[in-house]
Amino acid sequence: DAGVTQSPTHLIKTRGQQVTLRCSPKSGHDTVSWYQQALGQGPQFIFQYYEEEERQRGNFPDRFSGHQFPNYSSELNVNALLLGDSALYLCASSPGGGSYGYTFGSGTRLTVV
Amino acid sequence: DQQVKQNSPSLSVQEGRISILNCDYTNSMFDYFLWYKKYPAEGPTFLISISSIKDKNEDGRFTVFLNKSAKHLSLHIVPSQPGDSAVYFCAAMYSGNTPLVFGKGTRLSVIA
């Protein structure tokens, strides 16, 4: 049973560019959440998608946007990249309906130069 | 304004002894608490959790204690093994499918 898969594993972008990260949830999960983990910090919640809509959002600027597809997979887009956007981006999936069971992917390491 | 705090960045314990990792929180509306373990180049892996209506939960070598009046929880690992060496994150939730609020993590090193 495949868990949460994220692509790419690593990415290097230049300041001002745009980036798209991808996530496929665990089989049976329909809710996808994205987190940013900066160096030395705990993961910070970006937003959550359910039924192809953004259901909840953390304290991140509009440069961060997302999408969920009918097959429950999701994308995270970041525009106008800043050096401070360099971080590990984690995708977590869960079954809907008030679940406490989040499963995380291995993350995408984004470096902005 | 950190709602979940892990005040010890690192902890070193000898193999076979007890590891105690601590976590404090500020928001009494948190309903559920979880511990995740993270190895380098991997995502966080769920370890153990506890509901706010309980004060203790055990799973094999791992026990989590919750003191609601002190807004404090701790993770006990007995006996500690070298494979337990990882970063441990404490996290809290308001209710099901609400975002996880993480602490900064504690790096545990178990020395053989």
Side-chain angles (χ1 to χ4, degrees), chain B residues 4 19 26 31 36 44 59 73 75 84 87 96 100 104 108 110 112:
Chain B
V4 177
S19 294
T26 57
D31 177 55
Y36 282 85
D59 184 1
L73 61 155
L75 173 67
D84 296 329
V87 177
L100 291 161
K104 289 187 177 183
L108 173 66
V110 179

Side-chain angles (χ1 to χ4, degrees), chain A residues 10-87:
Chain A
H10 296 87
L11 203 52
I12 299 175
K13 288 286 189 179
T14 303
R15 199 169 32 175
Q17 284 189 316
Q18 179 263 343
V19 69
T20 298
L21 311 181
R22 295 176 175 83
C23 172
S24 292
K26 181 178 178 179
S27 177
H29 288 187
D30 57 7
T31 302
V32 174
S33 303
W34 287 90
Y35 290 80
Q36 180 196 65
Q37 186 182 6
L39 199 62
Q41 303 293 317
Q44 298 276 319
F45 173 72
I46 303 175
F47 43 54
Q48 182 182 83
Y49 276 84
Y50 173 69
E51 292 188 340
E52 301 180 49
E53 290 192 0
E54 184 182 291
R55 183 160 70 175
Q56 300 177 80
R57 188 178 182 95
N59 188 24
F60 278 80
D62 292 344
R63 297 186 297 109
F64 290 76
S65 64
H67 189 78
Q68 186 179 35
F69 299 94
N71 67 352
Y72 309 123
S73 67
S74 177
E75 288 182 350
L76 164 66
N77 301 293
V78 187
N79 293 323
L81 283 166
L82 303 173
L83 296 179
D85 295 331
S86 296

Side-chain angles (χ1 to χ4, degrees), chain A residues 31 35 37 40-43 45 48 55-56 88 90 94-100 102 104-106, chain B residues 31-32 34 36 38 41-44 46 89 93-105:
Chain A
T31 302
Y35 290 80
Q37 186 182 6
Q41 303 293 317
F45 173 72
Q48 182 182 83
R55 183 160 70 175
Q56 300 177 80
L88 179 67
L90 294 162
S94 58
S99 167
Y100 294 93
Y102 286 99
F104 282 85
S106 296
Chain B
D31 177 55
Y32 204 72
L34 308 93
Y36 282 85
K38 188 178 185 301
E42 294 184 13
F46 170 75
F89 289 99
M93 297 172 72
Y94 292 103
S95 62
N97 260 329
T98 57
L100 291 161
V101 181
F102 284 90
K104 289 187 177 183

